[in-house]
Amino acid sequence: MARLLNSSFVPSSSSFRRRPTLPPAFHISGNRSRTTQVQAKIREILMPALSSTMTEGKIVSWIKSEGDKLSKGESVVVVESDKADMDVENFYDGYLAAIMVDEGGVATVGSAIALLAETEDEIAEAVSKASSSSSSSPATTAAESTSSPSSDPQEKIVDNAGPVPASKAPVTSGSVVASSTHPASEGGKRIVASPYAKKLAKELKVELGRVVGTGPLGRIVAKDVEAAAASDVAAVGSSPGVGAAATVPGKSAGIELGMVVPFTTMQGAVSRNMVESLAVPTFRVGYTISTGALDALYKKIKSKGVTMTALLAKATALALVKHPVVNSSCRDGKSFTYNSSINIAVAVAIDGGLITPVLQDADKVDIYSLSRKWKELVDKARAKQLQPHEYNTGTFTLSNLGMFGVDRFDAILPPGTGAIMAVGASQPTVVASKDGRIGMKNQMQVNVTADHRVIYGADLASFLQTLAKIIEDPKDLTF
């Protein structure tokens, strides 16, 4: 969803002020003829806040070059936030006069990353202003401009930079707007690829210009680079007189033992969230659930595109309907909210981090639509194209490590939610029946971490009993 952002306007001359009702240049005739030129303004393109947790952004690539003429609504730059890559669109006509943060550079939210000149004649002045401020970082410049009045006359429009619920979003104006969609290329001037795909291409020595992207709108993602690298190896291997490249056992590509690696933007956000979660008093309750009936149902409808993740999300949502307190959340430590929707967030490991795409209204959506939606969300997550409402609206979280053979683990509670459930693998287990007989059953271990300020042990126990009944008799999951 597009977001309007803060922008600063710096008149090129303090002698004149813009008169909005007059054209840029006008002539007044009378007893004393004179010509008055209304000077154009130089606008700052600011680093947008693309999520509620974003404090800084990284420039992935500039779509436009210095001197290019821009139209309102055109994409200017691709920014990597803590959760996704998003295009930043220009909100005014003008010229991209000066780029202040190069590709790969990082800037704090609200700091200037480029200057936009209204007319071509203003480009030189904008370049001069940019070079004069190059001695200080964009983050420092932004901090100084907000903490003390500027010596230059300025006109400011202040908008909400962070995500705002759709029902409460104010109608405002600003200099740039963020969008999740972008052309795969802009007149052949750039190649659109995820940051990890670019890094992987360098490591594997793959030329991105010849890679065909399979991500959203032709974006190159990691698997495209890997496929290109694999085809190169196959081609080399088939060439006469050339043997296969030797591999070093026990050493992953691009990793040097002892090297220090700074956090990516996403890893930094995950780190902050995990530290924040330490302030919440949590407790854990485990439960063993028989999965024979669920496994049989999955085998029956798997061919129709149904995923096990969707089945677990649906079962959890139906259980939460009967236990709304487990779907509640406490944010201020003084009250809690019974959430009106049941939105199941599911943890997904992606290149360089972790994200939780959200299946909204999972209790109301049929299992087939839910499965299709989940596949769509996973594809967007791996291409770093999720919109904020697709990853920050969860009311209950699932974390599943069963596909790795993990039988049981604890999960850390995400800030702003009431509970998260860790799901282990379904495994054949020797069990004793009530009549004393020994048999085999497929069972899985689940372990729920909850906010003890709101949810108590009896609440979780009742919820898990209900969940077990739904999974062990899953007839309601397909309705």
Side-chain angles (χ1 to χ4, degrees):
M1 181 178 289
R3 309 232 178 262
L4 303 181
L5 311 167
N6 298 339
S7 60
S8 299
F9 306 86
V10 183
S12 59
S13 172
S14 59
S15 303
F16 302 99
R17 293 184 178 276
R18 176 182 290 278
R19 301 179 185 180
T21 58
L22 298 175
F26 63 95
H27 183 79
I28 299 178
S29 299
N31 294 332
R32 199 170 172 185
S33 181
R34 61 189 176 123
T35 300
T36 302
Q37 179 71 37
V38 178
Q39 302 293 338
K41 294 177 181 176
I42 298 170
R43 297 181 170 93
E44 292 179 339
I45 297 179
L46 307 180
M47 174 62 71
L50 304 178
S51 73
S52 58
T53 57
M54 178 177 169
T55 58
E56 61 182 23
K58 180 180 179 180
I59 304 298
V60 176
S61 62
W62 283 97
I63 302 172
K64 297 293 185 178
S65 303
E66 290 183 344
D68 286 354
K69 182 175 177 58
L70 305 179
S71 299
K72 178 180 177 180
E74 274 193 293
S75 295
V76 180
V77 61
V78 180
V79 172
E80 177 189 2
S81 72
D82 53 357
K83 301 294 185 182
D85 291 354
M86 300 182 75
D87 281 18
V88 175
E89 298 174 357
N90 180 45
F91 210 68
Y92 291 92
D93 294 333
Y95 294 84
L96 182 58
I99 292 175
M100 302 173 70
V101 182
D102 293 328
E103 293 184 0
V106 176
T108 57
V109 168
S111 62
I113 57 176
L115 295 180
L116 180 71
E118 189 172 0
T119 66
E120 196 168 5
D121 294 336
E122 302 293 321
I123 294 179
E125 184 175 349
V127 172
S128 176
K129 287 181 179 294
S131 60
S132 66
S133 62
S134 61
S135 57
S136 61
S137 66
T140 304
T141 303
E144 291 173 354
S145 65
T146 55
S147 61
S148 61
S150 174
S151 59
D152 293 331
Q154 291 186 353
E155 178 185 348
K156 288 183 178 288
I157 296 178
V158 180
D159 303 312
N160 290 333
V164 181
S167 60
K168 298 181 180 180
V171 180
T172 54
S173 61
S175 65
V176 289
V177 61
S179 169
S180 66
T181 60
H182 55 76
S185 64
E186 189 68 38
K189 293 182 180 179
R190 73 176 182 121
I191 298 171
V192 182
S194 70
Y196 183 71
K198 291 182 178 180
K199 178 182 177 183
L200 200 60
K202 289 181 180 179
E203 294 173 354
L204 300 178
K205 296 181 180 180
V206 172
E207 184 181 347
L208 284 176
R210 61 180 183 79
V211 178
V212 178
T214 61
L217 298 172
R219 186 183 190 85
I220 298 172
V221 294
K223 66 179 181 180
D224 301 326
V225 177
E226 292 170 347
S231 65
D232 287 347
V233 171
V236 170
S238 61
S239 300
V242 180
T247 59
V248 180
K251 186 174 181 180
S252 301
I255 296 178
E256 293 183 24
L257 299 181
M259 68 188 297
V260 177
V261 182
F263 279 167
T264 63
T265 309
M266 178 176 289
Q267 288 171 331
V270 171
S271 175
R272 289 190 297 272
N273 283 341
M274 295 303 96
V275 172
E276 183 181 343
S277 69
L278 295 177
V280 178
T282 59
F283 73 108
R284 295 164 181 83
V285 174
Y287 207 91
T288 301
I289 302 176
S290 296
T291 60
L294 183 67
D295 294 337
L297 175 63
Y298 175 59
K299 290 180 181 178
K300 182 178 179 181
I301 60 179
K302 180 181 178 181
S303 60
K304 299 180 181 180
V306 174
T307 65
M308 180 57 75
T309 297
L311 284 170
L312 291 173
K314 181 70 173 180
T316 303
L318 292 179
L320 289 172
V321 171
K322 300 179 180 180
H323 303 275
V325 69
V326 183
N327 191 53
S328 64
S329 58
C330 174
R331 297 180 182 275
D332 58 5
K334 300 177 182 178
S335 62
F336 66 96
T337 302
Y338 285 106
N339 292 303
S340 57
S341 299
I342 297 177
N343 300 334
I344 306 297
V346 185
V348 173
I350 61 175
D351 297 334
L354 177 75
I355 198 167
T356 53
V358 177
L359 291 167
Q360 299 184 0
D361 296 315
D363 58 316
K364 301 174 183 176
V365 180
D366 67 86
I367 192 63
Y368 304 102
S369 299
L370 205 64
S371 295
R372 288 193 296 270
K373 183 62 177 178
W374 176 243
K375 289 181 179 179
E376 175 190 334
L377 289 171
V378 170
D379 289 341
K380 293 177 72 174
R382 289 175 177 162
K384 299 192 73 177
Q385 290 295 305
L386 286 175
Q387 289 289 280
H389 72 275
E390 292 176 321
Y391 61 76
N392 65 9
T393 56
T395 59
F396 185 97
T397 307
L398 286 180
S399 181
N400 183 6
L401 292 180
M403 69 286 292
F404 297 105
V406 174
D407 56 3
R408 192 164 190 158
F409 67 102
D410 291 337
I412 299 176
L413 182 68
T417 60
I420 178 173
M421 184 166 71
V423 181
S426 174
Q427 297 176 334
T429 307
V430 177
V431 297
S433 62
K434 292 181 180 179
D435 58 5
R437 295 185 179 182
I438 302 297
M440 293 285 292
K441 284 188 178 181
N442 286 341
Q443 293 184 332
M444 71 176 181
Q445 308 287 327
V446 298
N447 204 19
V448 182
T449 303
D451 185 346
H452 212 327
R453 296 173 299 178
V454 181
I455 304 169
Y456 304 130
D459 298 322
L460 279 191
S462 298
F463 163 74
L464 288 171
Q465 283 181 333
T466 302
L467 177 65
K469 290 178 181 178
I470 293 172
I471 290 177
E472 290 171 359
D473 185 14
K475 60 181 184 298
D476 292 335
L477 296 183
T478 53
F479 288 101

